[in-house]
PDB file of all heavy atoms in Angstrom:
ATOM      1  N   VAL A  27      -4.877   6.905  -3.840  1.00 98.00           N
ATOM      2  CA  VAL A  27      -3.879   6.696  -4.888  1.00 98.00           C
ATOM      3  C   VAL A  27      -3.091   5.445  -4.519  1.00 98.00           C
ATOM      4  O   VAL A  27      -2.549   5.350  -3.407  1.00 98.00           O
ATOM      5  CB  VAL A  27      -2.912   7.895  -5.021  1.00 98.00           C
ATOM      6  CG1 VAL A  27      -1.829   7.586  -6.071  1.00 98.00           C
ATOM      7  CG2 VAL A  27      -3.667   9.164  -5.392  1.00 98.00           C
ATOM      8  N   THR A  28      -3.065   4.473  -5.425  1.00 98.00           N
ATOM      9  CA  THR A  28      -2.289   3.250  -5.208  1.00 98.00           C
ATOM     10  C   THR A  28      -1.061   3.293  -6.095  1.00 98.00           C
ATOM     11  O   THR A  28      -1.162   3.518  -7.306  1.00 98.00           O
ATOM     12  CB  THR A  28      -3.125   2.003  -5.518  1.00 98.00           C
ATOM     13  OG1 THR A  28      -4.210   1.922  -4.600  1.00 98.00           O
ATOM     14  CG2 THR A  28      -2.278   0.744  -5.387  1.00 98.00           C
ATOM     15  N   MET A  29       0.103   3.059  -5.489  1.00 98.00           N
ATOM     16  CA  MET A  29       1.377   3.049  -6.203  1.00 98.00           C
ATOM     17  C   MET A  29       2.073   1.715  -5.974  1.00 98.00           C
ATOM     18  O   MET A  29       2.416   1.371  -4.840  1.00 98.00           O
ATOM     19  CB  MET A  29       2.269   4.197  -5.713  1.00 98.00           C
ATOM     20  CG  MET A  29       1.715   5.578  -5.991  1.00 98.00           C
ATOM     21  SD  MET A  29       2.633   6.890  -5.120  1.00 98.00           S
ATOM     22  CE  MET A  29       2.025   6.637  -3.427  1.00 98.00           C
ATOM     23  N   ASP A  30       2.247   0.943  -7.033  1.00 98.00           N
ATOM     24  CA  ASP A  30       2.920  -0.361  -7.001  1.00 98.00           C
ATOM     25  C   ASP A  30       4.125  -0.240  -7.924  1.00 98.00           C
ATOM     26  O   ASP A  30       3.964  -0.042  -9.127  1.00 98.00           O
ATOM     27  CB  ASP A  30       1.952  -1.446  -7.476  1.00 98.00           C
ATOM     28  CG  ASP A  30       2.517  -2.855  -7.339  1.00 98.00           C
ATOM     29  OD1 ASP A  30       3.734  -2.996  -7.129  1.00 98.00           O
ATOM     30  OD2 ASP A  30       1.728  -3.815  -7.457  1.00 98.00           O
ATOM     31  N   PHE A  31       5.330  -0.378  -7.378  1.00 98.00           N
ATOM     32  CA  PHE A  31       6.522  -0.063  -8.164  1.00 98.00           C
ATOM     33  C   PHE A  31       7.738  -0.761  -7.572  1.00 98.00           C
ATOM     34  O   PHE A  31       7.695  -1.302  -6.455  1.00 98.00           O
ATOM     35  CB  PHE A  31       6.751   1.451  -8.203  1.00 98.00           C
ATOM     36  CG  PHE A  31       6.954   2.064  -6.840  1.00 98.00           C
ATOM     37  CD1 PHE A  31       8.230   2.378  -6.389  1.00 98.00           C
ATOM     38  CD2 PHE A  31       5.875   2.319  -5.990  1.00 98.00           C
ATOM     39  CE1 PHE A  31       8.420   2.928  -5.121  1.00 98.00           C
ATOM     40  CE2 PHE A  31       6.057   2.864  -4.734  1.00 98.00           C
ATOM     41  CZ  PHE A  31       7.339   3.171  -4.296  1.00 98.00           C
ATOM     42  N   GLY A  32       8.818  -0.751  -8.317  1.00 98.00           N
ATOM     43  CA  GLY A  32      10.066  -1.325  -7.839  1.00 98.00           C
ATOM     44  C   GLY A  32      11.177  -1.015  -8.807  1.00 98.00           C
ATOM     45  O   GLY A  32      10.950  -0.528  -9.920  1.00 98.00           O
ATOM     46  N   CYS A  33      12.409  -1.313  -8.394  1.00 98.00           N
ATOM     47  CA  CYS A  33      13.564  -1.009  -9.231  1.00 98.00           C
ATOM     48  C   CYS A  33      14.543  -2.171  -9.203  1.00 98.00           C
ATOM     49  O   CYS A  33      14.346  -3.176  -8.500  1.00 98.00           O
ATOM     50  CB  CYS A  33      14.238   0.276  -8.770  1.00 98.00           C
ATOM     51  SG  CYS A  33      15.093   0.148  -7.186  1.00 98.00           S
ATOM     52  N   LEU A  34      15.611  -2.029  -9.983  1.00 98.00           N
ATOM     53  CA  LEU A  34      16.670  -3.028 -10.072  1.00 98.00           C
ATOM     54  C   LEU A  34      17.966  -2.486  -9.487  1.00 98.00           C
ATOM     55  O   LEU A  34      18.324  -1.328  -9.714  1.00 98.00           O
ATOM     56  CB  LEU A  34      16.921  -3.402 -11.533  1.00 98.00           C
ATOM     57  CG  LEU A  34      15.780  -4.077 -12.291  1.00 98.00           C
ATOM     58  CD1 LEU A  34      16.118  -4.152 -13.775  1.00 98.00           C
ATOM     59  CD2 LEU A  34      15.497  -5.458 -11.733  1.00 98.00           C
ATOM     60  N   LYS A  35      18.649  -3.347  -8.732  1.00 97.00           N
ATOM     61  CA  LYS A  35      19.996  -3.045  -8.259  1.00 97.00           C
ATOM     62  C   LYS A  35      20.819  -4.319  -8.390  1.00 97.00           C
ATOM     63  O   LYS A  35      20.455  -5.361  -7.848  1.00 97.00           O
ATOM     64  CB  LYS A  35      19.972  -2.551  -6.806  1.00 97.00           C
ATOM     65  CG  LYS A  35      21.295  -1.979  -6.352  1.00 97.00           C
ATOM     66  CD  LYS A  35      21.644  -0.695  -7.096  1.00 97.00           C
ATOM     67  CE  LYS A  35      22.919  -0.045  -6.592  1.00 97.00           C
ATOM     68  NZ  LYS A  35      23.253   1.178  -7.361  1.00 97.00           N
ATOM     69  N   ASN A  36      21.922  -4.226  -9.133  1.00 95.00           N
ATOM     70  CA  ASN A  36      22.733  -5.403  -9.438  1.00 95.00           C
ATOM     71  C   ASN A  36      21.895  -6.509 -10.080  1.00 95.00           C
ATOM     72  O   ASN A  36      22.170  -7.694  -9.906  1.00 95.00           O
ATOM     73  CB  ASN A  36      23.427  -5.932  -8.179  1.00 95.00           C
ATOM     74  CG  ASN A  36      24.308  -4.896  -7.515  1.00 95.00           C
ATOM     75  OD1 ASN A  36      24.993  -4.121  -8.190  1.00 95.00           O
ATOM     76  ND2 ASN A  36      24.279  -4.836  -6.195  1.00 95.00           N
ATOM     77  N   GLY A  37      20.865  -6.089 -10.813  1.00 96.00           N
ATOM     78  CA  GLY A  37      20.007  -7.042 -11.504  1.00 96.00           C
ATOM     79  C   GLY A  37      18.862  -7.592 -10.675  1.00 96.00           C
ATOM     80  O   GLY A  37      17.994  -8.288 -11.208  1.00 96.00           O
ATOM     81  N   TYR A  38      18.817  -7.275  -9.388  1.00 97.00           N
ATOM     82  CA  TYR A  38      17.800  -7.829  -8.491  1.00 97.00           C
ATOM     83  C   TYR A  38      16.686  -6.824  -8.218  1.00 97.00           C
ATOM     84  O   TYR A  38      16.918  -5.619  -8.187  1.00 97.00           O
ATOM     85  CB  TYR A  38      18.447  -8.301  -7.187  1.00 97.00           C
ATOM     86  CG  TYR A  38      19.217  -9.595  -7.392  1.00 97.00           C
ATOM     87  CD1 TYR A  38      20.519  -9.573  -7.875  1.00 97.00           C
ATOM     88  CD2 TYR A  38      18.623 -10.826  -7.142  1.00 97.00           C
ATOM     89  CE1 TYR A  38      21.220 -10.756  -8.103  1.00 97.00           C
ATOM     90  CE2 TYR A  38      19.318 -12.014  -7.360  1.00 97.00           C
ATOM     91  CZ  TYR A  38      20.608 -11.975  -7.837  1.00 97.00           C
ATOM     92  OH  TYR A  38      21.288 -13.142  -8.073  1.00 97.00           O
ATOM     93  N   CYS A  39      15.484  -7.357  -7.999  1.00 98.00           N
ATOM     94  CA  CYS A  39      14.262  -6.553  -7.960  1.00 98.00           C
ATOM     95  C   CYS A  39      13.859  -6.123  -6.557  1.00 98.00           C
ATOM     96  O   CYS A  39      14.071  -6.852  -5.579  1.00 98.00           O
ATOM     97  CB  CYS A  39      13.090  -7.359  -8.526  1.00 98.00           C
ATOM     98  SG  CYS A  39      13.283  -7.871 -10.244  1.00 98.00           S
ATOM     99  N   SER A  40      13.233  -4.978  -6.492  1.00 98.00           N
ATOM    100  CA  SER A  40      12.415  -4.600  -5.334  1.00 98.00           C
ATOM    101  C   SER A  40      10.970  -4.533  -5.790  1.00 98.00           C
ATOM    102  O   SER A  40      10.681  -4.455  -6.986  1.00 98.00           O
ATOM    103  CB  SER A  40      12.854  -3.267  -4.739  1.00 98.00           C
ATOM    104  OG  SER A  40      12.619  -2.203  -5.653  1.00 98.00           O
ATOM    105  N   ASP A  41      10.052  -4.538  -4.821  1.00 98.00           N
ATOM    106  CA  ASP A  41       8.623  -4.499  -5.133  1.00 98.00           C
ATOM    107  C   ASP A  41       7.902  -3.986  -3.899  1.00 98.00           C
ATOM    108  O   ASP A  41       8.117  -4.496  -2.792  1.00 98.00           O
ATOM    109  CB  ASP A  41       8.135  -5.908  -5.492  1.00 98.00           C
ATOM    110  CG  ASP A  41       6.755  -5.916  -6.121  1.00 98.00           C
ATOM    111  OD1 ASP A  41       6.191  -4.834  -6.362  1.00 98.00           O
ATOM    112  OD2 ASP A  41       6.238  -7.030  -6.382  1.00 98.00           O
ATOM    113  N   MET A  42       7.075  -2.974  -4.072  1.00 98.00           N
ATOM    114  CA  MET A  42       6.296  -2.472  -2.942  1.00 98.00           C
ATOM    115  C   MET A  42       5.048  -1.778  -3.442  1.00 98.00           C
ATOM    116  O   MET A  42       4.988  -1.296  -4.576  1.00 98.00           O
ATOM    117  CB  MET A  42       7.122  -1.507  -2.086  1.00 98.00           C
ATOM    118  CG  MET A  42       7.501  -0.196  -2.760  1.00 98.00           C
ATOM    119  SD  MET A  42       8.520   0.878  -1.708  1.00 98.00           S
ATOM    120  CE  MET A  42       7.441   1.163  -0.305  1.00 98.00           C
ATOM    121  N   THR A  43       4.029  -1.753  -2.597  1.00 98.00           N
ATOM    122  CA  THR A  43       2.794  -1.028  -2.904  1.00 98.00           C
ATOM    123  C   THR A  43       2.367  -0.244  -1.686  1.00 98.00           C
ATOM    124  O   THR A  43       2.385  -0.762  -0.562  1.00 98.00           O
ATOM    125  CB  THR A  43       1.651  -1.988  -3.296  1.00 98.00           C
ATOM    126  OG1 THR A  43       2.078  -2.836  -4.355  1.00 98.00           O
ATOM    127  CG2 THR A  43       0.415  -1.208  -3.738  1.00 98.00           C
ATOM    128  N   ARG A  44       1.974   0.993  -1.915  1.00 98.00           N
ATOM    129  CA  ARG A  44       1.359   1.794  -0.878  1.00 98.00           C
ATOM    130  C   ARG A  44       0.120   2.473  -1.451  1.00 98.00           C
ATOM    131  O   ARG A  44       0.109   2.934  -2.593  1.00 98.00           O
ATOM    132  CB  ARG A  44       2.339   2.858  -0.343  1.00 98.00           C
ATOM    133  CG  ARG A  44       3.472   2.287   0.501  1.00 98.00           C
ATOM    134  CD  ARG A  44       2.955   1.646   1.761  1.00 98.00           C
ATOM    135  NE  ARG A  44       4.005   1.161   2.644  1.00 98.00           N
ATOM    136  CZ  ARG A  44       4.458  -0.093   2.660  1.00 98.00           C
ATOM    137  NH1 ARG A  44       3.946  -0.977   1.803  1.00 98.00           N
ATOM    138  NH2 ARG A  44       5.379  -0.470   3.514  1.00 98.00           N
ATOM    139  N   THR A  45      -0.932   2.510  -0.641  1.00 98.00           N
ATOM    140  CA  THR A  45      -2.164   3.214  -0.977  1.00 98.00           C
ATOM    141  C   THR A  45      -2.312   4.371   0.000  1.00 98.00           C
ATOM    142  O   THR A  45      -2.264   4.162   1.224  1.00 98.00           O
ATOM    143  CB  THR A  45      -3.385   2.277  -0.877  1.00 98.00           C
ATOM    144  OG1 THR A  45      -3.210   1.175  -1.783  1.00 98.00           O
ATOM    145  CG2 THR A  45      -4.669   3.020  -1.230  1.00 98.00           C
ATOM    146  N   VAL A  46      -2.433   5.576  -0.517  1.00 98.00           N
ATOM    147  CA  VAL A  46      -2.551   6.770   0.322  1.00 98.00           C
ATOM    148  C   VAL A  46      -3.812   7.524  -0.069  1.00 98.00           C
ATOM    149  O   VAL A  46      -4.352   7.343  -1.161  1.00 98.00           O
ATOM    150  CB  VAL A  46      -1.315   7.689   0.175  1.00 98.00           C
ATOM    151  CG1 VAL A  46      -0.043   6.953   0.562  1.00 98.00           C
ATOM    152  CG2 VAL A  46      -1.199   8.223  -1.253  1.00 98.00           C
ATOM    153  N   ALA A  47      -4.298   8.349   0.848  1.00 98.00           N
ATOM    154  CA  ALA A  47      -5.483   9.173   0.590  1.00 98.00           C
ATOM    155  C   ALA A  47      -5.061  10.629   0.391  1.00 98.00           C
ATOM    156  O   ALA A  47      -4.106  11.102   1.027  1.00 98.00           O
ATOM    157  CB  ALA A  47      -6.470   9.061   1.739  1.00 98.00           C
ATOM    158  N   ILE A  48      -5.779  11.312  -0.471  1.00 98.00           N
ATOM    159  CA  ILE A  48      -5.477  12.717  -0.773  1.00 98.00           C
ATOM    160  C   ILE A  48      -6.489  13.603  -0.049  1.00 98.00           C
ATOM    161  O   ILE A  48      -7.676  13.620  -0.374  1.00 98.00           O
ATOM    162  CB  ILE A  48      -5.538  12.979  -2.287  1.00 98.00           C
ATOM    163  CG1 ILE A  48      -4.627  12.021  -3.046  1.00 98.00           C
ATOM    164  CG2 ILE A  48      -5.182  14.433  -2.584  1.00 98.00           C
ATOM    165  CD1 ILE A  48      -3.163  12.144  -2.704  1.00 98.00           C
ATOM    166  N   GLY A  49      -6.023  14.310   0.965  1.00 97.00           N
ATOM    167  CA  GLY A  49      -6.863  15.276   1.671  1.00 97.00           C
ATOM    168  C   GLY A  49      -7.731  14.679   2.753  1.00 97.00           C
ATOM    169  O   GLY A  49      -7.763  15.183   3.877  1.00 97.00           O
ATOM    170  N   SER A  50      -8.446  13.615   2.445  1.00 97.00           N
ATOM    171  CA  SER A  50      -9.353  13.014   3.425  1.00 97.00           C
ATOM    172  C   SER A  50      -9.693  11.600   2.980  1.00 97.00           C
ATOM    173  O   SER A  50      -9.432  11.212   1.848  1.00 97.00           O
ATOM    174  CB  SER A  50     -10.639  13.836   3.555  1.00 97.00           C
ATOM    175  OG  SER A  50     -11.349  13.832   2.322  1.00 97.00           O
ATOM    176  N   ALA A  51     -10.262  10.837   3.911  1.00 98.00           N
ATOM    177  CA  ALA A  51     -10.728   9.487   3.605  1.00 98.00           C
ATOM    178  C   ALA A  51     -12.021   9.248   4.356  1.00 98.00           C
ATOM    179  O   ALA A  51     -12.163   9.641   5.533  1.00 98.00           O
ATOM    180  CB  ALA A  51      -9.681   8.449   4.003  1.00 98.00           C
ATOM    181  N   THR A  52     -12.991   8.612   3.719  1.00 98.00           N
ATOM    182  CA  THR A  52     -14.255   8.299   4.379  1.00 98.00           C
ATOM    183  C   THR A  52     -14.052   7.173   5.383  1.00 98.00           C
ATOM    184  O   THR A  52     -13.045   6.463   5.368  1.00 98.00           O
ATOM    185  CB  THR A  52     -15.306   7.868   3.346  1.00 98.00           C
ATOM    186  OG1 THR A  52     -14.884   6.623   2.754  1.00 98.00           O
ATOM    187  CG2 THR A  52     -15.496   8.923   2.267  1.00 98.00           C
ATOM    188  N   ASP A  53     -15.022   6.982   6.243  1.00 98.00           N
ATOM    189  CA  ASP A  53     -14.956   5.881   7.201  1.00 98.00           C
ATOM    190  C   ASP A  53     -14.868   4.534   6.481  1.00 98.00           C
ATOM    191  O   ASP A  53     -14.170   3.621   6.937  1.00 98.00           O
ATOM    192  CB  ASP A  53     -16.183   5.903   8.121  1.00 98.00           C
ATOM    193  CG  ASP A  53     -16.147   7.058   9.107  1.00 98.00           C
ATOM    194  OD1 ASP A  53     -15.052   7.636   9.320  1.00 98.00           O
ATOM    195  OD2 ASP A  53     -17.215   7.396   9.670  1.00 98.00           O
ATOM    196  N   GLU A  54     -15.576   4.413   5.359  1.00 98.00           N
ATOM    197  CA  GLU A  54     -15.526   3.161   4.605  1.00 98.00           C
ATOM    198  C   GLU A  54     -14.124   2.914   4.051  1.00 98.00           C
ATOM    199  O   GLU A  54     -13.603   1.789   4.111  1.00 98.00           O
ATOM    200  CB  GLU A  54     -16.533   3.186   3.460  1.00 98.00           C
ATOM    201  CG  GLU A  54     -16.565   1.881   2.661  1.00 98.00           C
ATOM    202  CD  GLU A  54     -17.487   1.948   1.466  1.00 98.00           C
ATOM    203  OE1 GLU A  54     -17.695   3.043   0.922  1.00 98.00           O
ATOM    204  OE2 GLU A  54     -17.990   0.878   1.053  1.00 98.00           O
ATOM    205  N   MET A  55     -13.508   3.952   3.526  1.00 98.00           N
ATOM    206  CA  MET A  55     -12.154   3.811   3.012  1.00 98.00           C
ATOM    207  C   MET A  55     -11.192   3.408   4.120  1.00 98.00           C
ATOM    208  O   MET A  55     -10.341   2.522   3.944  1.00 98.00           O
ATOM    209  CB  MET A  55     -11.701   5.122   2.353  1.00 98.00           C
ATOM    210  CG  MET A  55     -12.455   5.465   1.073  1.00 98.00           C
ATOM    211  SD  MET A  55     -12.239   7.200   0.552  1.00 98.00           S
ATOM    212  CE  MET A  55     -10.512   7.215   0.036  1.00 98.00           C
ATOM    213  N   LYS A  56     -11.335   4.038   5.275  1.00 98.00           N
ATOM    214  CA  LYS A  56     -10.478   3.707   6.411  1.00 98.00           C
ATOM    215  C   LYS A  56     -10.696   2.273   6.865  1.00 98.00           C
ATOM    216  O   LYS A  56      -9.745   1.567   7.222  1.00 98.00           O
ATOM    217  CB  LYS A  56     -10.733   4.675   7.569  1.00 98.00           C
ATOM    218  CG  LYS A  56     -10.291   6.098   7.299  1.00 98.00           C
ATOM    219  CD  LYS A  56     -10.665   7.017   8.467  1.00 98.00           C
ATOM    220  CE  LYS A  56     -10.270   8.459   8.211  1.00 98.00           C
ATOM    221  NZ  LYS A  56     -10.688   9.356   9.331  1.00 98.00           N
ATOM    222  N   ASN A  57     -11.924   1.805   6.864  1.00 98.00           N
ATOM    223  CA  ASN A  57     -12.229   0.444   7.288  1.00 98.00           C
ATOM    224  C   ASN A  57     -11.600  -0.578   6.347  1.00 98.00           C
ATOM    225  O   ASN A  57     -10.988  -1.560   6.793  1.00 98.00           O
ATOM    226  CB  ASN A  57     -13.741   0.229   7.344  1.00 98.00           C
ATOM    227  CG  ASN A  57     -14.103  -1.199   7.708  1.00 98.00           C
ATOM    228  OD1 ASN A  57     -13.662  -1.720   8.733  1.00 98.00           O
ATOM    229  ND2 ASN A  57     -14.887  -1.855   6.864  1.00 98.00           N
ATOM    230  N   VAL A  58     -11.767  -0.349   5.034  1.00 98.00           N
ATOM    231  CA  VAL A  58     -11.175  -1.271   4.062  1.00 98.00           C
ATOM    232  C   VAL A  58      -9.653  -1.296   4.216  1.00 98.00           C
ATOM    233  O   VAL A  58      -9.028  -2.363   4.194  1.00 98.00           O
ATOM    234  CB  VAL A  58     -11.590  -0.885   2.626  1.00 98.00           C
ATOM    235  CG1 VAL A  58     -10.789  -1.691   1.601  1.00 98.00           C
ATOM    236  CG2 VAL A  58     -13.082  -1.114   2.428  1.00 98.00           C
ATOM    237  N   TYR A  59      -9.062  -0.137   4.389  1.00 98.00           N
ATOM    238  CA  TYR A  59      -7.616  -0.070   4.570  1.00 98.00           C
ATOM    239  C   TYR A  59      -7.196  -0.880   5.799  1.00 98.00           C
ATOM    240  O   TYR A  59      -6.223  -1.655   5.749  1.00 98.00           O
ATOM    241  CB  TYR A  59      -7.159   1.378   4.711  1.00 98.00           C
ATOM    242  CG  TYR A  59      -5.661   1.542   4.586  1.00 98.00           C
ATOM    243  CD1 TYR A  59      -5.088   1.942   3.386  1.00 98.00           C
ATOM    244  CD2 TYR A  59      -4.820   1.286   5.662  1.00 98.00           C
ATOM    245  CE1 TYR A  59      -3.702   2.076   3.257  1.00 98.00           C
ATOM    246  CE2 TYR A  59      -3.448   1.404   5.555  1.00 98.00           C
ATOM    247  CZ  TYR A  59      -2.898   1.799   4.343  1.00 98.00           C
ATOM    248  OH  TYR A  59      -1.530   1.917   4.223  1.00 98.00           O
ATOM    249  N   ASP A  60      -7.933  -0.724   6.879  1.00 98.00           N
ATOM    250  CA  ASP A  60      -7.611  -1.428   8.119  1.00 98.00           C
ATOM    251  C   ASP A  60      -7.708  -2.939   7.940  1.00 98.00           C
ATOM    252  O   ASP A  60      -6.860  -3.687   8.453  1.00 98.00           O
ATOM    253  CB  ASP A  60      -8.555  -0.969   9.236  1.00 98.00           C
ATOM    254  CG  ASP A  60      -8.300  -1.704  10.543  1.00 98.00           C
ATOM    255  OD1 ASP A  60      -7.223  -1.488  11.146  1.00 98.00           O
ATOM    256  OD2 ASP A  60      -9.169  -2.507  10.958  1.00 98.00           O
ATOM    257  N   VAL A  61      -8.713  -3.401   7.207  1.00 98.00           N
ATOM    258  CA  VAL A  61      -8.873  -4.836   6.968  1.00 98.00           C
ATOM    259  C   VAL A  61      -7.685  -5.373   6.166  1.00 98.00           C
ATOM    260  O   VAL A  61      -7.125  -6.433   6.486  1.00 98.00           O
ATOM    261  CB  VAL A  61     -10.199  -5.134   6.239  1.00 98.00           C
ATOM    262  CG1 VAL A  61     -10.267  -6.604   5.832  1.00 98.00           C
ATOM    263  CG2 VAL A  61     -11.386  -4.782   7.126  1.00 98.00           C
ATOM    264  N   VAL A  62      -7.284  -4.641   5.133  1.00 98.00           N
ATOM    265  CA  VAL A  62      -6.146  -5.078   4.318  1.00 98.00           C
ATOM    266  C   VAL A  62      -4.871  -5.131   5.154  1.00 98.00           C
ATOM    267  O   VAL A  62      -4.084  -6.089   5.062  1.00 98.00           O
ATOM    268  CB  VAL A  62      -5.964  -4.160   3.093  1.00 98.00           C
ATOM    269  CG1 VAL A  62      -4.669  -4.497   2.347  1.00 98.00           C
ATOM    270  CG2 VAL A  62      -7.155  -4.283   2.153  1.00 98.00           C
ATOM    271  N   LEU A  63      -4.664  -4.124   5.978  1.00 98.00           N
ATOM    272  CA  LEU A  63      -3.463  -4.106   6.821  1.00 98.00           C
ATOM    273  C   LEU A  63      -3.473  -5.270   7.801  1.00 98.00           C
ATOM    274  O   LEU A  63      -2.447  -5.954   7.986  1.00 98.00           O
ATOM    275  CB  LEU A  63      -3.364  -2.770   7.562  1.00 98.00           C
ATOM    276  CG  LEU A  63      -2.155  -2.611   8.494  1.00 98.00           C
ATOM    277  CD1 LEU A  63      -0.840  -2.846   7.756  1.00 98.00           C
ATOM    278  CD2 LEU A  63      -2.168  -1.224   9.132  1.00 98.00           C
ATOM    279  N   ARG A  64      -4.610  -5.531   8.424  1.00 98.00           N
ATOM    280  CA  ARG A  64      -4.684  -6.658   9.361  1.00 98.00           C
ATOM    281  C   ARG A  64      -4.475  -7.988   8.648  1.00 98.00           C
ATOM    282  O   ARG A  64      -3.845  -8.911   9.193  1.00 98.00           O
ATOM    283  CB  ARG A  64      -6.033  -6.651  10.089  1.00 98.00           C
ATOM    284  CG  ARG A  64      -6.163  -5.531  11.112  1.00 98.00           C
ATOM    285  CD  ARG A  64      -7.362  -5.695  12.021  1.00 98.00           C
ATOM    286  NE  ARG A  64      -8.634  -5.467  11.341  1.00 98.00           N
ATOM    287  CZ  ARG A  64      -9.518  -6.408  11.083  1.00 98.00           C
ATOM    288  NH1 ARG A  64      -9.277  -7.677  11.454  1.00 98.00           N
ATOM    289  NH2 ARG A  64     -10.659  -6.113  10.472  1.00 98.00           N
ATOM    290  N   ALA A  65      -4.973  -8.094   7.425  1.00 98.00           N
ATOM    291  CA  ALA A  65      -4.764  -9.312   6.648  1.00 98.00           C
ATOM    292  C   ALA A  65      -3.290  -9.503   6.311  1.00 98.00           C
ATOM    293  O   ALA A  65      -2.746 -10.622   6.395  1.00 98.00           O
ATOM    294  CB  ALA A  65      -5.595  -9.266   5.365  1.00 98.00           C
ATOM    295  N   GLN A  66      -2.639  -8.422   5.930  1.00 98.00           N
ATOM    296  CA  GLN A  66      -1.221  -8.529   5.607  1.00 98.00           C
ATOM    297  C   GLN A  66      -0.418  -8.977   6.828  1.00 98.00           C
ATOM    298  O   GLN A  66       0.436  -9.858   6.751  1.00 98.00           O
ATOM    299  CB  GLN A  66      -0.688  -7.198   5.089  1.00 98.00           C
ATOM    300  CG  GLN A  66       0.689  -7.348   4.435  1.00 98.00           C
ATOM    301  CD  GLN A  66       1.581  -6.146   4.624  1.00 98.00           C
ATOM    302  OE1 GLN A  66       1.547  -5.485   5.659  1.00 98.00           O
ATOM    303  NE2 GLN A  66       2.407  -5.865   3.626  1.00 98.00           N
ATOM    304  N   LEU A  67      -0.698  -8.369   7.972  1.00 98.00           N
ATOM    305  CA  LEU A  67       0.027  -8.729   9.199  1.00 98.00           C
ATOM    306  C   LEU A  67      -0.226 -10.187   9.582  1.00 98.00           C
ATOM    307  O   LEU A  67       0.693 -10.867  10.058  1.00 98.00           O
ATOM    308  CB  LEU A  67      -0.381  -7.792  10.329  1.00 98.00           C
ATOM    309  CG  LEU A  67       0.026  -6.318  10.144  1.00 98.00           C
ATOM    310  CD1 LEU A  67      -0.574  -5.454  11.244  1.00 98.00           C
ATOM    311  CD2 LEU A  67       1.538  -6.177  10.110  1.00 98.00           C
TER     312      LEU A  67
END
């Protein structure tokens, strides 16, 4: 499940995305997640 969302405070924006797994994740899913995290860092 990917959630990309944000809100306003004093007119200014927030923005964040998190991808989570429900119950379990395959090795392929875990690998892709790891690559994205390493790329972000």
